Amino acid sequence: MKRRTAREKAFQALFQINNSDIDTDEAIQHVVEEPVVDAFLHDLVHGVMNHRSEIDDRISSNLDNWSFNRLPKVEKTVLRMAAYEMKYKEDVPAQVAINEAVELAKIFGEEDSGKFVNGVLSKMV
C-alpha cells in the first residue's frame, strides 16, 4: 500500500476511534480490504493513540486564538497524525508530513481546512 493511501486509511480509522467507542484494531479492519494490515498504517493509528495526550498538548501549544477542544474533528484528526509523524517517524521529513496533512484536510475538511492545518503544523517545525 502506498503511504498516501495508508494515511487516508489511518485518518478514517482514527476518525472512527475518536467519534465512537471502537477498538483500534477493529477500526483499522473497517477501513482496509486486505486481511493483512499495512505496517505504516498500523504504526500511524497505534502511534497516534499511544501518544495522544502528548500530541494533543503539542498541538494545543501551537494554536492561535483556538482552544484544542473547539477544533473540528477532521482538523483535529489530521493534526494528530501529522504531529505524530513529525515527532516519531524519523523516516518522514517534516515537510512531507505537513504536505500530506494539508492534502487530507482538503479532501475531508472544509474549504479552509488545508490552510489552517498548514499554519498550525508550520509552527511546530
Side-chain angles (χ1 to χ4, degrees):
M1 175 181 298
K2 292 183 179 181
R3 283 194 169 187
R4 177 162 285 191
T5 303
R7 284 182 181 96
E8 287 181 19
K9 299 294 184 186
F11 169 83
Q12 293 168 343
L14 287 164
F15 195 83
Q16 283 183 44
I17 293 165
N18 292 325
N19 295 299
S20 62
D21 189 24
I22 188 171
D23 176 71
T24 304
D25 290 319
E26 185 179 351
I28 292 171
Q29 288 303 318
H30 283 186
V31 299
V32 296
E33 297 164 7
E34 311 87 35
V36 177
V37 177
D38 180 80
F40 185 75
L41 162 63
H42 186 272
D43 180 60
L44 268 179
V45 175
H46 283 276
V48 168
M49 295 309 296
N50 291 337
H51 298 282
R52 194 164 91 177
S53 177
E54 181 182 335
I55 290 168
D56 289 355
D57 289 344
R58 189 164 183 225
I59 293 168
S60 293
S61 67
N62 286 283
L63 294 173
D64 289 331
N65 303 318
W66 278 89
S67 74
F68 183 79
N69 294 331
R70 287 191 51 235
L71 287 178
K73 293 175 182 180
V74 167
E75 287 81 350
K76 189 181 291 187
T77 303
V78 170
L79 287 168
R80 283 175 170 158
M81 287 177 52
Y84 171 75
E85 284 193 75
M86 290 166 64
K87 174 132 177 113
Y88 297 101
K89 298 295 289 176
E90 294 178 10
D91 65 328
V92 178
Q95 196 55 50
V96 170
I98 293 170
N99 289 343
E100 292 292 326
V102 168
E103 290 305 313
L104 283 172
K106 287 179 182 178
I107 293 168
F108 295 105
E110 300 294 322
E111 184 177 334
D112 291 334
S113 294
K115 291 177 187 175
F116 176 76
V117 165
N118 187 46
V120 174
L121 295 174
S122 294
K123 283 185 68 181
M124 289 184 184
V125 175

